[in-house]
Amino acid sequence: MAALVGCLLVLLPVSAATGAAADGPSVTLSRTEAAKGGELTVTGTGWPSRTLVMVLLCGRAAPGRGLVGGTNACANAQGRAVTTDPQGTFGKKLPVVAPPGPCPCAVHVATVTGEAATADAALRVTGHPVEPLPDGVGDGRLAVLDTARLDGADGLLVRFGAPPSRRIVLAVGNTGSAPLKDPVFEVGTAHGVYAPQWEERQWRGTVPPGGRAEVELPVQLPAGAHGDYQVSVRYGGTVLAEHPWRVRRPWGVTLFWVLLAVVVPTALYRAGMAAVNRVRPRRPATAAPGQRGPMPWFTPDSAPSENATTTKGQP
């Protein structure tokens, strides 16, 4: 009896761990090999409920090692977006195309909104080139060692609507057993309640096992942006750092529109008045009070007088 109780105590933690793993995001495919031009069904379970996820077919990828070449090795144009149901499941048809990178290939699923989560499922694309993944890639792990900061300042053109730009700087350490060479990060900017818009940024350098490095990644907002923004950095689907960014309103743009609203009507008014002066008929000039009008053909001295007598008919 004691032996049976001991066995149960040993097996219970194993069962609990298995259940916890099964509760995480997972992806299954309707087939493990498909030819280009075909189609397969991607099924997901254990995802956050009512969350938008992106489904991509990627080269240079494998479950457990992630996207070695980043999403640059994925068929992004043929990706599909789908929203999970209240139970955190989804099903989506995905066209099979030739990804930009060679195989090994995988279907990569990542959340677009909400909590960050990713999962991969291996897929063999018939006839697509195959190249081995670089040794050690995927065995390194990055951890943030210090608070991230934003470096840089706005120039004069930003006051007139030019895109604001900064550099987000964070100190990272490699806690894995293999060096990380030229890792590909994702930098996202979020405004208000909207989800971050992610862009890939590759950092040139190598972080050895147990080593650390200072990573600088460029960040740029759209032209005319202002207000409160949130800058995030993630690697391998994990958000490493977040930093607020308060962008001042470009008052130069407001001043420009105010001047434009004043100058343009004034110029139009002056042009209209000039046109009216050109086309309206001319009136004869009149003498102002106290001024003499135009001279007649005779002089005042030679003009006949009413009291003057005439000699006409007299001898």
Side-chain angles (χ1 to χ4, degrees), residues 192-261:
V193 297
Y194 294 99
Q197 300 295 320
W198 299 98
E199 294 184 0
E200 291 187 350
R201 296 284 188 267
Q202 186 170 30
W203 180 75
R204 299 293 181 179
T206 302
V207 187
R212 60 173 292 165
E214 188 174 77
V215 176
E216 294 187 9
L217 303 171
V219 187
Q220 182 170 299
L221 298 179
H226 63 277
D228 294 327
Y229 283 80
Q230 184 85 1
V231 181
S232 305
V233 179
R234 70 181 183 185
Y235 177 77
T238 302
V239 177
L240 299 179
E242 294 180 338
H243 197 284
W245 184 6
R246 187 176 184 82
V247 184
R248 291 182 291 179
R249 182 182 294 273
W251 292 109
V253 178
T254 305
L255 178 62
F256 171 78
W257 286 112
V258 169
L259 293 177
L260 192 65

Side-chain angles (χ1 to χ4, degrees), residues 2 12 15 24 45 49 53 65 80 97 115 122 133 150 195 219 253-256 262 271-272 275 296 300 307 311 315:
L12 280 175
S15 301
T45 58
S49 63
V53 298
R65 305 191 70 176
R80 296 291 185 266
V97 296
E115 183 181 353
L133 295 177
L150 284 177
V219 187
V253 178
T254 305
L255 178 62
F256 171 78
V262 174
N307 300 322
T311 60

Side-chain angles (χ1 to χ4, degrees), residues 81-134:
V82 61
T83 301
T84 61
D85 60 18
Q87 288 72 39
T89 64
F90 69 88
K92 191 68 176 177
K93 297 285 188 180
L94 181 69
V96 180
V97 296
C103 284
C105 299
V107 173
H108 177 74
V109 181
T111 55
V112 179
T113 60
E115 183 181 353
T118 61
D120 302 300
L123 175 68
R124 293 190 300 272
V125 180
T126 306
H128 196 62
V130 179
E131 295 181 6
L133 295 177

Side-chain angles (χ1 to χ4, degrees), residues 135-141 174-181 206-210:
D135 293 337
V137 175
D139 295 332
R141 298 178 181 177
N174 185 358
T175 61
S177 58
L180 281 171
K181 182 179 180 182
T206 302
V207 187

